[in-house]
Amino acid sequence: MRKPLRTLTGLFTNMQIRRKLLISYFILIFLPLALMTSFSYKNVSRDYEKQILHSADQSFDQAFTFLSYKLNTLIKASDVIYFNADVQTMLTRDEHAFGDDYVQQNIDRQKLESFLSSFQNAEDVYRASLYVPGWLMYAGQNFNFFDMDAFSRTKSYEALLASKDKVSWLPEHAIANNNTNLDPVPVISLLRKIRNSEQTTEIIGIIELNIRKDIVDEILQKANITNDGVVYIQNSNGAIVSCSNMDNYHRISPDPALIQDTRNALDTGDAGMSWNNATIGSGEHVVKTRAIENTDWTMVTAIPVSEIFRQSIRIRDLMLVLMLVCGLLSYGLAYLITGATVKRILLLKKKMRLVQEGVLNVEVQSAIPDEIGELADSFNHMVKRIRLLVQEQYQNGKEIKNLELKALQAQINPHFLYNTLEMINWKAIDNDVPDIAVISQSLAKFYKLSLNKGKDIVAVEDEINHIRAYVQIQNLRFDNKIKLDVRVAPELYACDILKLILQPLVENAIIHGILEARNSQEGTITVTGRLERGEIVLTVRDDGVGMPSEQAESLLAGGIADPDVQGYGIRNIDHRIKLCYGQEYGLAYRSSPGDGTEVEIRIPNRFR
């Protein structure tokens, strides 16, 4: 117990100040609301349960009484028919004496039809019929009269004979409509055996009284006061006689055994007047059952417990919504209140993170001279100091690189000038040809573009002309072994670029690529240029000897220690580009032995 408590205490202690305050406010607001909601829900649910069960009880009893009245009306009508002397006389006539007496049979039929019609009305007895001996001429009428001989071969007749009850009941079936032009009518039928009054063992006919099923259904529908509950009548075989809502019945799917205890209670004098809890399907229900006298029917009502508590659940949900609204309002107020305290701390924290990510152009405005204000002033002073130090370091690094460049130029230019002048000297002595003029012009152009009046930024076009003059001079030296192929898009010519970027790369391609690969054959240097997503991409490719990929990577990583070889000048160019344009720009090498070398230069697109 102590360990979890210690863990929670540690978590709360390490939380931010605003979270601590918000959690405290939530506890103080939601705890009383939760207790009030729980107390209210219990009281309301208990009262509402009593109210809905009382209403359901009254509706159930009223429907039971009315239904019993309807059924007793049919039973009393069957008594009148059963004990009627004319019925006894007509059904006990001798077949030999009256089998061919169609006049008397017709008189009997008319008299019985009139007698049966007197019982028929739309509300109680929809139709009264008799099953008569098959030899009678009107036995096959199939409206008020039916052939008892044919009926005796059915299971319904066998069940009627086996029953010891006064009457038997047939489940739902359809009979012809009293108005022959309309569809058949679903009915529930009462069957009763008519015995010979002089010889009671002899069955001389059967009474069938029909009540419309929709009348019974309507009675049950009025008894069902809930939306998801169901009231239904079930016979002793488990068949449904009538139901208030078949969709609800199938959804609830009650067990037919629910009524068994009610039938047993009826035999002991207890009619099943109370509500019982039962698990039906996957839900809890309250169930009430009651057996209907003179039938094998049981009237059952089942109400989901969830529907009984639905109103109280609505109140509970309303309370929960109220809790949520209060919580949100309190959270908003707490957020505003705590915001006044911690807003400046969060701002200072945000600015510190920006400095941590390398953004130094930040400042915290604070007009309140409290502890947080003093922290903000100290932070501003510290950031300014760091910014000055970074700028100072940047300027120092830039000056160092410029000095390195000038030192490189001081080393390269005299050496190149010496070789060129020596070549001019030998041309003049040995050949006495006008090539001397070409060499002199190319050399003049080369130095003019190299110096550029002391400016570090030149146009791409000037840089291209610079390498052309350089290659022309080298071709005079190496007997035109070098071919320069320039494929730079014309729209790049006016763009700005650092000077002396391409010439060292072209020089490396000649000395360390083409001349090392071929002693007598020609070599090609291809210079391309394109715009790519707002950036200038220049490539210098040669078809010389190439080098392993590890060696190409080491050129920019400082793997070559000798400052006289190509790595020094390449790293110098890369550092200059990064200092001028940013760390995301610079050189990239791709090479493999025998396939030549390609250098990619990537700088931002800038125009003069």
Side-chain angles (χ1 to χ4, degrees), residues 113 116-129 141-146 174-187 208-215:
E113 278 185 346
L116 294 174
S117 297
S118 65
F119 294 95
Q120 295 179 176
N121 60 76
E123 294 297 325
D124 296 327
V125 180
Y126 182 73
R127 184 179 305 153
S129 303
Q141 182 203 38
N142 293 332
F143 193 82
N144 288 117
F145 305 101
F146 295 92
I175 63 173
N177 199 300
N178 288 342
N179 186 344
T180 56
N181 294 327
L182 300 179
D183 294 333
V185 178
V187 296
E208 180 179 316
L209 299 177
N210 301 299
I211 181 173
R212 285 169 49 192
K213 183 176 180 296
D214 58 351
I215 293 177

Side-chain angles (χ1 to χ4, degrees), residues 350-366:
K350 180 180 179 181
K351 298 294 184 180
M352 287 182 175
R353 285 185 175 175
L354 289 175
V355 174
Q356 184 178 357
E357 293 172 0
V359 180
L360 299 178
N361 190 22
V362 296
E363 185 176 358
V364 180
Q365 300 293 335
S366 179

Side-chain angles (χ1 to χ4, degrees), residues 164-397:
K164 297 180 180 180
D165 296 329
K166 179 179 180 180
V167 297
S168 295
W169 300 88
L170 289 180
E172 175 188 355
H173 63 284
I175 63 173
N177 199 300
N178 288 342
N179 186 344
T180 56
N181 294 327
L182 300 179
D183 294 333
V185 178
V187 296
I188 298 172
S189 300
L190 173 148
L191 295 179
R192 181 172 179 176
K193 301 183 288 289
I194 303 176
R195 297 182 182 274
N196 192 330
S197 58
E198 296 179 356
Q199 189 178 356
T200 57
T201 59
E202 180 186 1
I203 298 176
I204 58 176
I206 298 172
I207 303 170
E208 180 179 316
L209 299 177
N210 301 299
I211 181 173
R212 285 169 49 192
K213 183 176 180 296
D214 58 351
I215 293 177
V216 180
D217 292 344
E218 184 179 356
I219 295 173
L220 298 186
Q221 289 169 3
K222 291 180 179 179
N224 184 24
I225 63 170
T226 60
N227 294 325
D228 298 331
V230 65
V231 181
Y232 63 95
I233 298 173
Q234 178 179 308
N235 64 20
S236 59
N237 295 325
I240 299 301
V241 178
S242 178
C243 182
S244 63
N245 189 314
M246 288 304 297
D247 291 336
N248 286 353
Y249 176 84
H250 291 307
R251 179 177 51 79
I252 295 175
S253 187
D255 188 348
L258 280 173
I259 68 167
Q260 188 61 39
D261 293 338
T262 302
R263 300 298 306 179
N264 296 335
L266 181 64
D267 296 336
T268 59
D270 182 3
M273 302 293 290
S274 61
W275 292 89
N276 298 306
N277 292 324
T279 301
I280 304 176
S282 60
E284 292 293 328
H285 295 70
V286 289
V287 179
K288 183 175 181 179
T289 59
R290 192 170 179 183
I292 303 176
E293 295 184 7
N294 297 318
T295 68
D296 65 339
W297 296 355
T298 302
M299 184 172 172
V300 183
T301 181
I303 303 174
V305 173
S306 60
E307 187 165 11
I308 295 176
F309 295 140
R310 183 168 295 170
Q311 186 63 29
S312 57
I313 290 174
R314 289 197 188 100
I315 297 175
R316 180 200 65 188
D317 293 341
L318 181 61
M319 294 293 294
L320 291 175
V321 171
L322 182 61
M323 287 178 60
L324 180 61
V325 171
C326 291
L328 292 175
L329 289 176
S330 63
Y331 180 84
L333 292 174
Y335 187 85
L336 294 176
I337 293 172
T338 56
T341 304
V342 301
K343 181 178 180 180
R344 290 184 296 151
I345 296 178
L346 294 176
L347 178 60
L348 184 59
K349 177 182 176 182
K350 180 180 179 181
K351 298 294 184 180
M352 287 182 175
R353 285 185 175 175
L354 289 175
V355 174
Q356 184 178 357
E357 293 172 0
V359 180
L360 299 178
N361 190 22
V362 296
E363 185 176 358
V364 180
Q365 300 293 335
S366 179
I368 302 175
D370 56 3
E371 290 82 356
I372 300 176
E374 292 181 3
L375 286 174
D377 293 339
S378 299
F379 172 77
N380 292 335
H381 179 74
M382 179 186 67
V383 172
K384 289 179 181 178
R385 185 63 179 166
I386 292 174
R387 190 162 55 243
L388 290 174
L389 291 174
V390 170
Q391 290 177 353
E392 182 179 345
Q393 184 180 7
Y394 172 76
Q395 291 296 334
N396 292 337

Side-chain angles (χ1 to χ4, degrees), residues 422-433 436:
E422 184 180 6
M423 178 181 60
I424 294 173
N425 183 51
W426 283 106
K427 285 285 183 180
I429 294 174
D430 295 337
N431 300 311
D432 192 19
V433 293
I436 297 175

